[in-house]
Amino acid sequence: MSLRRLPQALAVPLLALGFSLLVGAVFVLAIGRDPVAVYAELLRGTLGSPYGVGQVLFKATPLIFTGLACALAFRAGLVNIGAEGQLYVGAFATAWAGFTFRGAPALVLAPACILAGALAGAAWGAVPGILKARFGSHEVINTIMLNFVAIALTGYMVSNVFVVPETVHTPEIAAAARLPRFEAFMPFFGGSPVNVSFLLALAAAAGYALLMNRTRLGYELRVVGHSAGAGEYAGIRTGPAVITAMALSGALAGMVGSNFVLGYKHYFEGGFSAGIGFMGLAVALLAQGSAVGVVLAALFFGMLSHGALVINTMVPKELVEILQATVIASVIVSSNVVQDYARRRARERTAAGVTP
Amino acid sequence: MIAPFLSQVLRISVPYLFAALGGTFSERGGTINIALEGILLTSAFAAAVTTYFTHDPWLGLAAAVLAGLLTALLHAVICVTFRADQIVSGIAINLLAAGLTKFLLKEIFGSSSNSPRVEGLPEWHLAGVGGIPVLGDILRSPLLLLAAIGVPVGHFLLYRTPFGLRLRACGEHPEAADALGVSVTRIRYTGILISGAVTALGGAWLALDQHSFTDGMSGGRGYIALAAMIVGKWSPLGAAGGCLLFGAAETLQIRLQGGAVPTQFIQMIPYLLTMVVLAGFIGRAAAPRMSGVPYRKEE
């Protein structure tokens, strides 16, 4: 990205964030409370203590995975609304490996559990990719449909196959599969559930940046994302590229289980996600596709997510959902507004005889 | 045995029928409307709140339509005026509707789960026809009757009137419509607003039939309606067929609870069927050609 474009890349998220905070403030005022106090409390409760920071990192971890998943798809010209379903089958596979291969040493079992999640997510993601490549059916509809299928399927597994009576979760994973919490070696984070899976998420972000910017495959995905026609012209076969992109996207979403299953609850539970896959779209949009952007955006949404619990005594915590939705809507609107503005500027300059 | 089954299918299908019918008007005009789910939720909430304070379910119904129109208007502004991504806009609106209704539920009723009990729409008891299966059910309930009339009327509007022709032109070939002097912006707005008003009737049904609003009561029905619309190949009559089919599957699922077939597998039927149809295994499912593509007038 050239320096000239950098202000534009920042303008979109900043406009969107500013506007959303304003909308949130209007809602707070409308119910007769003080928006400044609410936002101050949100900051204090999240960034004001090591425990709060730990909570933010914990909430940001799955969002980094799903944010990367959606960003990768976006850059390949695909909209993956299926991260929710992919993370369900992924997290279930992670748990399944964890409670099935008891007795395996930790150094083997934990990575195997993560790999199982990534593979299950990749398989689930590849299905809409194949359907698109083979039959031309739109990945948006198919990923939405597969979300519901994934939730029903894992629900069946929990309630009919791997049953723990009186619960809606699987048996616990072997102790060897657990990822330690940060507090185990940094007492500083006392009580917050942030765990080693956060580091895995950062590694995934680095891997994503390398893949997209430094490898042939990443280049091909970006070309196809830019224009399928151009890709074909450059000798890139669109079909396999679409399937690969969806599988990689699914694999990233499928790693969410490392945080919830291996690092936190130690089992898979029906309904554990509550929209993390959809928030991945928000993260990817706010990040405008870059890996650093995804991490920052995930931290921001993680902050909102924990902040919701903090401000719940002052305003209904759903204020945060309103903020999140407004961020998504205003990112897509402001990126168009900023683009139109840049285009108009460019045209005016050309008209005035200034070479850009 | 069969009459109560059919009666239950009809009642379960009402929100699907309205939302899928609404969806066809948005999508035929060229705007993908994933926001159906959010529209169901805001309109159900408006119906419950208004009925609670006025004790008049008809006013509740009107408020639901107003809420549906406003929610759809937001989608139209984002997608048509700002030409932003229609799918992402729909997701954002669904998230907003979920957050907003719960926020207001807590503020107005002090509850995070449901509103107090509200009146429902009256049931009509017509002598002579009440006992007839299907027809009797339809004539008993105002909204069911409206759905039964709305589907063929919507079909006629879409395929036999100048407005319908213009709407479909905006979805298939907006440049051509534009060249003929049709305002693509205005027609697309109209299509999206119709989808909001019609879907809202389904939302009103949810709240008034259950006599309360419960958090998240749309329960994915907007997505099922979307699926039914695709299975019905973007036509009102086809979509209604899809809705009744999915309604029948859901009724079966309720009746077979605890039976030999796990309910989760019956739950999957609509979604899997939609994927099969979309892949072209059952005839050709042709989406409006320019659905999902914002229209930029040549400058």
Side-chain angles (χ1 to χ4, degrees):
Chain A
M1 183 183 303
S2 73
L3 267 181
R4 187 192 289 258
R5 286 208 43 194
L6 197 60
Q8 192 182 323
L10 281 178
V12 172
L14 290 182
L15 265 174
L17 290 183
F19 178 71
S20 308
L21 291 178
L22 218 62
V23 169
V26 170
F27 275 100
V28 176
L29 278 174
I31 58 168
R33 260 142 281 179
D34 178 7
V36 178
V38 169
Y39 286 148
E41 178 66 14
L42 197 150
L43 273 178
R44 195 198 57 73
T46 50
L47 304 183
S49 69
Y51 170 77
V53 171
Q55 282 285 1
V56 170
L57 298 182
F58 172 70
K59 300 273 204 243
T61 304
L63 295 176
I64 295 176
F65 287 120
T66 56
L68 291 171
C70 295
L72 192 148
F74 274 137
R75 291 189 71 185
L78 300 160
V79 185
N80 180 11
I81 304 195
E84 189 78 1
Q86 292 145 17
L87 72 85
Y88 264 91
V89 293
F92 177 79
T94 295
W96 173 81
F99 64 71
T100 303
F101 303 108
R102 290 173 185 286
L107 277 176
V108 178
L109 190 54
C113 289
I114 296 165
L115 186 68
L119 285 177
W124 208 252
V127 171
I130 293 167
L131 288 172
K132 181 171 181 118
R134 176 77 181 76
F135 303 106
S137 41
H138 205 303
E139 79 278 4
V140 165
I141 306 294
N142 282 329
T143 47
I144 293 176
M145 298 302 134
L146 281 170
N147 283 343
F148 291 107
V149 177
I151 290 167
L153 187 65
T154 51
Y156 170 75
M157 289 297 179
V158 170
S159 60
N160 295 52
V161 185
F162 302 101
V163 188
V164 179
E166 318 271 318
T167 72
V168 286
H169 60 72
T170 61
E172 282 211 11
I173 57 171
R178 294 182 183 180
L179 292 180
R181 291 186 177 199
F182 279 6
E183 61 178 345
F185 39 90
M186 286 184 277
F188 176 72
F189 281 113
S192 72
V194 59
N195 57 74
V196 168
S197 132
F198 178 70
L199 302 179
L200 184 68
L202 292 184
Y208 162 83
L210 274 178
L211 172 79
M212 292 314 278
N213 302 322
R214 295 272 181 274
T215 66
R216 180 174 172 78
L217 175 63
Y219 166 75
E220 291 186 353
L221 295 184
R222 281 186 290 134
V223 171
V224 170
H226 193 70
S227 140
E232 295 282 350
Y233 194 70
I236 300 164
R237 287 167 58 222
T238 315
V242 164
I243 298 171
T244 310
M246 285 305 296
L248 285 173
S249 181
L252 284 164
M255 287 160 78
V256 162
S258 63
N259 186 48
F260 184 84
V261 177
L262 302 185
Y264 183 47
K265 289 276 189 170
H266 307 132
Y267 50 69
F268 170 90
E269 184 177 36
F272 81 95
S273 157
I276 291 167
F278 295 109
M279 290 316 299
L281 278 176
V283 169
L285 287 164
L286 196 60
Q288 308 267 295
S290 85
V292 175
V294 166
V295 173
L296 290 177
L299 287 171
F300 172 72
F301 280 106
M303 200 178 118
L304 284 186
S305 174
H306 178 62
L309 306 174
V310 177
I311 59 171
N312 201 25
T313 49
M314 308 171 75
V315 289
K317 66 175 193 292
E318 285 69 28
L319 175 69
V320 162
E321 283 176 44
I322 296 172
L323 281 176
Q324 289 167 335
T326 317
V327 169
I328 301 179
S330 44
V331 164
I332 55 173
V333 167
S334 64
S335 68
N336 276 20
V337 169
V338 169
Q339 266 168 28
D340 277 2
Y341 175 75
R343 195 177 297 143
R344 218 169 30 244
R345 277 278 303 267
R347 216 176 20 239
E348 279 163 14
R349 290 161 70 116
T350 339
V354 184
T355 45
Chain B
M1 172 67 193
I2 192 85
F5 178 79
L6 289 177
S7 171
Q8 196 179 359
V9 170
L10 279 177
R11 298 181 69 84
I12 281 182
S13 303
V14 170
Y16 299 150
L17 287 167
F18 283 122
L21 178 61
T24 56
F25 277 87
S26 178
E27 305 232 357
R28 277 289 168 191
T31 313
I32 298 176
N33 199 348
I34 293 181
L36 295 176
E37 178 78 8
I39 294 171
L40 282 177
L41 205 52
T42 54
S43 56
F45 183 76
V49 171
T50 308
T51 308
Y52 176 79
F53 286 108
T54 63
H55 301 287
D56 185 347
W58 294 103
L59 276 180
L61 187 64
V65 171
L66 188 65
L69 281 171
L70 285 176
T71 314
L73 181 65
L74 182 61
H75 190 51
V77 170
I78 295 173
C79 298
V80 181
T81 302
F82 287 105
R83 295 187 293 271
D85 191 290
Q86 301 171 359
I87 291 148
V88 177
S89 168
I91 298 282
I93 287 175
N94 292 343
L95 209 64
L96 180 68
L100 186 62
T101 49
K102 201 166 177 186
F103 182 89
L104 293 174
L105 191 64
K106 281 185 181 170
E107 276 304 304
I108 298 175
F109 299 118
S111 158
S112 59
S113 58
N114 58 277
S115 76
R117 191 182 158 80
V118 300
E119 291 91 335
L121 287 171
E123 292 227 327
W124 292 322
H125 294 284
L126 297 178
V129 293
I132 306 170
V134 180
L135 185 69
D137 291 306
I138 291 174
L139 291 178
R140 193 174 302 133
S141 151
L143 278 175
L144 198 46
L145 179 64
L146 201 56
I149 297 171
V151 169
V153 167
H155 200 84
F156 180 83
L157 195 60
L158 210 48
Y159 291 103
R160 294 279 183 275
T161 65
F163 166 73
L165 180 65
R166 288 189 194 124
L167 186 71
R168 286 182 292 124
C170 289
E172 296 291 337
H173 207 314
E175 292 84 5
D178 196 0
L180 290 173
V182 173
S183 163
V184 177
T185 300
R186 182 182 297 180
I187 293 282
R188 284 192 170 175
Y189 258 89
T190 312
I192 299 169
L193 289 177
I194 291 177
S195 86
V198 174
T199 304
L201 298 171
W205 165 276
L206 287 177
L208 297 177
D209 186 55
Q210 192 191 283
H211 295 278
S212 71
F213 175 86
T214 41
D215 174 41
M217 79 183 308
S218 54
R221 288 184 177 84
Y223 292 107
I224 297 235
L226 204 68
M229 181 194 71
I230 293 166
V231 170
K233 298 177 182 174
W234 286 267
S235 94
L237 286 180
C243 291
L244 292 172
L245 185 66
F246 293 171
E250 196 178 324
T251 309
L252 223 53
Q253 181 199 324
I254 294 168
R255 298 203 161 205
L256 294 179
Q257 214 100 32
V261 187
T263 55
Q264 288 96 343
F265 288 104
I266 302 174
Q267 238 169 36
M268 291 179 199
I269 291 174
Y271 312 117
L272 294 176
L273 186 64
T274 304
M275 293 173 65
V276 170
V277 169
L278 205 59
F281 288 127
I282 307 175
R284 194 78 200 103
R289 200 173 64 92
M290 297 308 274
S291 190
V293 185
Y295 180 62
R296 182 185 293 275
K297 211 173 155 82
E298 286 307 316
E299 290 155 342

